[in-house]
């Protein structure tokens, strides 16, 4: 894309999106995809802190086998709110709504997303959904777990299930609008010459993610709405006494919520592709396979939801079918991991902060993915179902995978987003602390789960205490690791050195514009004449 | 797609058809047609929604890509329904122990040709 650099005339660096307007109104009514990304960044960061505080209370309670910090009811509400906030208000929007919003138009040579006003609307819908759900805390909380399982949620729970359902229902529309915007943008607004197989894999990953958002989110929105209607009007969809079926809820819920795991991890995989290629100075090995593996994960992800229901009363035959299909999704996931590793082979690897996070991702995602196969195996799952083994597996994918990818993205594109460089030394230290803290937190949970400790209990037998103490100690380290970026990234905003347009010497259209980017990205739409990640040509040019 | 000029009479025609089909749905509900009542009502509803999608939502005049995305919605809805019904319709296929251990016996003998025992 080096030829395109010259083709795209560069506006004055001062005329960037951050200085294009001042005042609250210029932010709250903006239709600039970059500013909307910043709005999302601020909001999801707040939700991450809130979700983290719930986790702190959970971990403190579990330090001792007795329920001595909070009551069992409060504990139920804590893990429910932790799950709700982290999944619906942090993990799902994290990379798509922040990084995707900011980067997709820049990566494809467009001046904005296809529907800028809908993009802003999605943020407002997200904010309203978030506030509604968070208002639940004021109404005494909700105790169903983030999964809202019926009949407890629809019939028995005395907590604010209805309000929570409305909040999640509203938030779903934000996700749908974002997905719709991405799909149309990627189809219609690619720069001349930017064919599908020249697209950055970050864009491919977001395309696959958007498909899941579009297809799956309406299902969960309607399902949660049905729970609301069941509670308020007793319509009987999930109540056997009225001809309903509680297991039907699980089918509808997991039809979305299993693919939702891929909403959370696929964008992260897109980030890993970008960072691995940049810091290995090589084109991604097997580009086409990595691109199509994203689509394969998106499609196969819709065929395997029943592996969450092996002990629910689902038929054994259905369980066998879902178990077999679950094994299939490991293939495209493994394709990605092997291809990233092959990309690094004989590459000129450098160990900047984003790459440290990539190494963390590769190890943790592999552990999380392989233990997922344990849980997908019909026989073994029966023994570890609803134990800490599941909690550990899930967090290895979501925290070890998705958040590691999010942090890699934040550090990789921070100079582009803010125009400032952060302290590499502090950032590397933070990445290492997070990796250590994460493993100390969640690896003991594999062991205690395998030994039989169920999840969602705040009182437990004495013999499990050592594992819970280790886990809480790890969580403390993890919290310190997460706090670091809040300080050194904020510090960089005020005291950091100005970032050049391309601080990593990376390939991609986003690196051809100044940091931070101008308001309209490109004065003239670039023409793309080379493959993605053509680092060999870049190296020749440098020589 | 949006540039495609659709005569107003098409909209009126579709609207009239939808009203007619609604009346037929109501009328049929008063007749006892046994097991056909559900498929007839569902068939009319599907036909009506097809008309709305094709004409009011302009899919008939859209690109193939639009059609593909609309189809994808229905394909994934079919996946949801087929897999959920697969569970529902096989819940009485129980695990039955025999003298040599656990086997999935009886259910697989009846018309599916999957064999007597899966260990």
């Amino acid at each position: 894309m080096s030829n395109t650099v010259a083709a795209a005339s560069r506006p004055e660096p001062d005329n960037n999106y951050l200085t294009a307007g001042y005042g609250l109104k210029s932010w709250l009514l903006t239709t600039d995809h970059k500013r909307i990304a910043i709005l999302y960044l601020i909001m999801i960061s707040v939700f991450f802190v809130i979700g983290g505080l719930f986790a702190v209370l959970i971990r403190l309670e579990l330090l001792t086998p007795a329920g001595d910090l909070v009551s069992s009811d409060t504990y139920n509400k804590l893990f429910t709110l932790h799950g709700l906030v982290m999944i619906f208000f942090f993990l799902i929007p994290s990379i798509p709504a922040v990084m995707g919003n900011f980067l997709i138009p820049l990566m494809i040579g467009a001046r904005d997303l296809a529907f800028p006003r809908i993009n802003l609307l999605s943020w407002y819908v997200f904010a309203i959904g978030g506030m509604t759900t968070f208002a639940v805390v004021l109404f005494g909380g909700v105790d169903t777990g983030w999964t809202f399982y019926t009949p407890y949620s629809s019939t028995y729970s005395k907590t604010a299930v209805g309000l929570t359902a409305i909040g999640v229902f509203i938030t779903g529309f934000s996700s749908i609008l974002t997905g719709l915007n991405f799909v149309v943008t990627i189809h219609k607004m690619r720069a001349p010459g930017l064919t599908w197989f020249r697209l950055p894999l970050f864009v491919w990953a977001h395309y696959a993610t958007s498909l899941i958002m579009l297809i799956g989110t309406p299902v969960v929105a309607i399902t949660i709405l049905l729970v609301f209607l069941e509670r308020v009007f007793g319509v009987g969809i999930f109540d056997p006494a009225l001809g309903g079926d509680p297991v039907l809820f699980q089918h509808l819920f997991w039809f979305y919520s299993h693919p939702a795991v891929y909403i959370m991890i696929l964008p992260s995989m897109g980030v890993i592709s970008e960072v691995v290629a940049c810091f290995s100075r090589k084109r991604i090995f097997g580009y086409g396979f990595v691109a199509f593996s994203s689509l394969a994960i998106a499609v196969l992800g819709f065929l395997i939801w029943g592996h969450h229901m092996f002990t629910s009363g689902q038929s054994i035959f259905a369980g066998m079918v879902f178990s077999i299909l679950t094994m299939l999704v490991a293939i495209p996931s493994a394709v990605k991991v092997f291809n990233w590793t092959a990309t690094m082979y004989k590459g000129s690897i450098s160990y900047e902060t984003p790459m440290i996070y990539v190494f963390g991702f590769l190890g943790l995602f592999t552990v999380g993915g392989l233990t997922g196969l344990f849980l997908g195996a019909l026989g073994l799952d029966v023994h570890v179902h609803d134990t800490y083994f599941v909690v550990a597996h899930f967090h290895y994918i979501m925290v070890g995978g998705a958040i590691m990818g999010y942090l890699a993205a934040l550090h990789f594109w921070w100079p582009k987003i803010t125009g400032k460089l952060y302290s590499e030394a502090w950032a590397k230290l933070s990445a290492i602390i997070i990796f250590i803290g994460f493993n100390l937190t969640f690896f003991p949970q594999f062991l205690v789960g395998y030994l039989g400790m169920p999840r969602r209990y705040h009182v437990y037998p004495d013999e499990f205490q050592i594992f819970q103490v280790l886990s809480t100690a790890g969580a403390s380290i993890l919290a310190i690791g997460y706090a670091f970026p809040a300080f050194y990234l904020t510090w960089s905003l005020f005291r950091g050195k100005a970032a050049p347009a391309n601080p990593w010497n990376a390939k991609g259209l986003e690196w051809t514009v100044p940091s931070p980017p101008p308001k309209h990205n490109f004065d003239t739409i670039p023409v793309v004449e080379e493959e993605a990640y053509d680092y060999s040509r870049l190296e020749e040019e440098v020589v | 797609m949006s540039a495609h000029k659709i005569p107003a009479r098409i909209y009126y025609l579709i609207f009239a058809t939808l009203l007619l089909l609604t009346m037929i749905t109501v009328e049929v509900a008063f007749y006892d047609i046994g097991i056909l009542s559900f498929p007839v009502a569902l068939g009319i509803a599907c036909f009506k929604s097809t008309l709305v999608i094709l004409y009011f939502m302009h899919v008939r005049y859209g690109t193939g890509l639009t059609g593909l995305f609309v189809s994808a919605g229905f394909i994934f809805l079919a996946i949801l329904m087929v897999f959920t019904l697969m569970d529902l319709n096989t819940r009485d296929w129980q695990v039955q122990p025999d003298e040599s251990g656990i086997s999935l016996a009886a259910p697989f003998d009846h018309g599916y040709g999957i064999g007597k025992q899966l260990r």
Side-chain angles (χ1 to χ4, degrees):
Chain A
M1 291 172 204
S2 56
N3 294 343
T4 66
V5 180
S9 61
R10 294 175 182 170
E12 288 299 310
D14 286 337
N15 182 25
N16 66 60
Y17 78 100
L18 292 171
T19 56
Y22 295 97
L24 197 59
K25 191 178 167 187
S26 75
W27 281 89
L28 294 180
L29 296 180
T30 184
T31 52
D32 184 344
H33 65 102
K34 300 179 289 298
R35 283 193 165 206
I36 294 169
I38 299 295
L39 293 175
Y40 265 114
L41 175 64
I42 294 166
M43 188 155 280
I44 69 161
S45 300
V46 171
F47 280 124
F48 182 67
V49 171
I50 293 169
L53 289 175
F54 291 132
V56 167
L57 291 171
I58 291 168
R59 289 312 326 162
L60 285 175
E61 168 56 58
L62 291 170
L63 260 178
T64 63
D68 40 17
L69 182 65
V70 294
S71 67
S72 53
D73 283 344
T74 306
Y75 185 79
N76 290 347
K77 291 171 184 173
L78 284 175
F79 70 68
T80 299
L81 288 166
H82 170 68
L84 277 172
V85 171
M86 285 301 200
I87 288 171
F88 290 112
F89 300 101
F90 176 72
L91 284 165
I92 286 178
S94 60
I95 297 180
V98 178
M99 296 299 164
N101 252 331
F102 195 97
L103 292 167
I104 285 175
L106 286 164
M107 283 181 164
I108 67 171
R111 292 201 170 102
D112 207 320
L113 288 171
F115 308 116
R117 289 193 180 93
I118 285 182
N119 197 18
L120 181 64
L121 175 67
S122 81
W123 181 76
Y124 275 104
V125 170
F126 179 73
I128 293 167
M131 295 304 140
T132 308
T133 307
F134 200 65
V136 166
V137 178
L138 305 177
F139 287 90
V142 60
D143 67 349
T144 59
W146 77 275
T147 46
F148 294 103
Y149 270 14
T150 57
Y152 184 70
S153 63
S154 57
T155 308
Y156 301 108
S157 175
K158 303 295 182 198
T159 56
V161 180
L163 191 61
T164 315
I166 292 170
V168 172
F169 178 77
I170 294 170
T171 309
F173 285 94
S174 164
S175 199
I176 292 169
L177 295 176
T178 301
L180 178 73
N181 227 335
F182 285 175
V183 166
V184 177
T185 305
I186 294 166
H187 270 285
K188 294 291 182 186
M189 297 177 68
R190 301 192 310 274
L194 189 56
T195 58
W196 280 92
F197 291 100
R198 285 179 175 176
L199 279 175
L201 289 162
F202 180 89
V203 179
W204 271 97
H206 275 75
Y207 184 79
T209 306
S210 302
L211 295 182
I212 303 174
M213 287 172 163
L214 284 175
I215 292 166
T217 313
V219 177
V220 78
I222 291 166
T223 308
I224 300 292
L225 191 65
L226 286 174
V227 171
F228 177 80
L229 294 175
E230 184 99 355
R231 280 181 74 84
V232 177
F233 301 110
V235 289
I237 300 283
F238 306 121
D239 185 355
L242 298 171
D245 183 353
V247 179
L248 174 63
F249 171 85
Q250 295 193 30
H251 278 296
L252 296 173
F253 180 82
W254 287 115
F255 178 78
Y256 163 79
S257 293
H258 187 74
V261 173
Y262 302 115
I263 292 180
M264 299 179 237
I265 198 71
L266 270 171
S268 205
M269 291 169 158
V271 171
I272 301 305
S273 294
E274 301 298 316
V275 177
V276 162
C278 174
F279 294 109
S280 302
R281 318 308 296 170
K282 276 179 70 184
R283 188 166 197 261
I284 287 287
F285 180 85
Y287 170 96
F289 280 93
V290 178
F292 277 115
S293 65
S294 292
L295 292 181
I297 288 172
V299 173
L300 288 172
F302 278 103
L303 305 178
I304 61 177
W305 76 84
H307 67 221
H308 294 270
M309 302 166 56
F310 289 153
T311 62
S312 69
Q314 174 183 252
S315 80
I316 291 172
F317 178 76
M320 287 165 57
V321 172
F322 280 124
S323 184
I324 291 165
L325 290 172
T326 298
M327 300 301 145
L328 293 181
V329 84
I331 296 170
S333 306
V335 163
K336 284 183 184 292
V337 173
F338 288 135
N339 283 24
W340 291 324
T341 323
T343 303
M344 285 189 270
Y345 179 65
K346 290 190 175 176
S348 176
I349 298 174
S350 56
Y351 297 91
E352 273 83 357
T353 305
M355 195 61 170
I356 305 284
Y357 280 112
V358 167
F359 287 127
F361 174 98
L362 289 175
L364 301 179
F365 175 73
T366 303
V367 172
L370 290 176
T371 51
L373 291 181
F374 292 18
L375 294 166
L378 183 54
L380 182 55
D381 178 76
V382 172
H383 297 282
V384 291
H385 182 86
D386 260 351
T387 68
Y388 266 87
F389 193 91
V390 179
V391 179
H393 153 73
F394 183 74
H395 283 84
Y396 262 78
I397 296 288
M398 292 295 95
V399 184
I403 297 185
M404 281 286 185
Y406 174 69
L407 289 171
L410 200 60
H411 286 83
F412 189 52
W413 283 291
W414 183 262
K416 178 58 60 188
I417 294 169
T418 64
K420 294 296 174 73
L421 297 172
Y422 54 81
S423 160
E424 265 291 313
W426 281 104
K428 282 180 184 168
L429 179 65
S430 163
I432 291 165
I433 289 173
I434 288 173
F435 183 78
I436 293 168
F438 173 83
N439 279 295
L440 189 54
T441 307
F442 292 105
F443 198 80
Q445 295 185 11
F446 275 128
L447 304 178
V448 76
Y450 192 74
L451 291 173
M453 179 168 172
R455 66 198 289 200
R456 298 179 170 178
Y457 281 80
H458 77 320
V459 177
Y460 57 88
D462 290 346
E463 60 263 35
F464 295 143
Q465 186 176 14
I466 180 65
F467 299 103
Q468 296 293 355
V469 169
L470 285 172
S471 197
T472 300
S476 310
I477 297 170
L478 188 59
I480 292 168
Y482 283 146
F484 272 25
F487 290 109
Y488 65 74
L489 291 179
T490 307
W491 186 88
S492 78
L493 290 176
F494 302 100
R495 297 291 185 87
K497 290 179 186 167
N502 192 355
W504 311 115
N505 208 13
K507 299 292 290 185
L509 286 177
E510 77 271 28
W511 301 109
T512 66
V513 297
S515 305
K519 185 182 178 189
H520 295 296
N521 299 350
F522 305 94
D523 268 5
T524 52
I525 298 299
V527 177
V528 179
E529 295 170 345
E530 62 182 48
E531 306 303 313
Y533 315 114
D534 197 355
Y535 281 98
S536 55
R537 185 187 287 196
L538 186 71
E539 298 301 309
E540 286 168 13
E541 286 169 7
V542 171
V543 171
Chain B
M1 180 174 69
S2 56
H4 192 97
K5 182 90 174 154
I6 303 164
R9 64 180 173 79
I10 296 283
Y11 288 125
Y12 289 123
L13 186 64
I14 300 297
F15 181 60
T17 311
L18 290 171
L19 285 179
L20 181 68
L21 288 168
T22 305
M23 285 187 276
I24 292 173
T25 308
V26 174
E27 190 62 27
V28 168
F30 290 101
Y31 292 92
D32 183 8
I33 52 174
I35 58 165
L36 286 178
S37 55
F38 179 68
V40 166
L42 201 61
I44 295 171
C46 287
F47 185 63
K48 283 166 68 181
S49 59
T50 306
L51 289 178
V52 171
I53 291 165
L54 289 179
Y55 292 96
F56 287 170
M57 295 172 74
H58 293 199
V59 172
R60 182 162 187 263
Y61 309 103
T63 61
L65 186 64
T66 308
L68 182 66
F69 268 81
V70 172
S71 307
F74 286 100
I75 290 167
F76 282 88
L77 177 65
I79 289 171
L80 171 64
M81 294 177 72
V82 166
F83 277 60
T84 302
L85 289 172
M86 173 184 74
D87 164 35
L88 193 68
N89 292 330
T90 58
R91 282 189 194 166
D92 58 345
W93 295 9
Q94 297 299 321
V95 175
Q96 297 186 354
D98 61 13
E99 65 279 359
S100 60
I102 300 296
S103 66
L104 281 169
F108 295 100
D109 295 342
H110 302 296
Y112 293 88
I114 303 180
K116 279 192 173 179
Q117 291 190 337
L118 288 175
R119 289 178 191 283

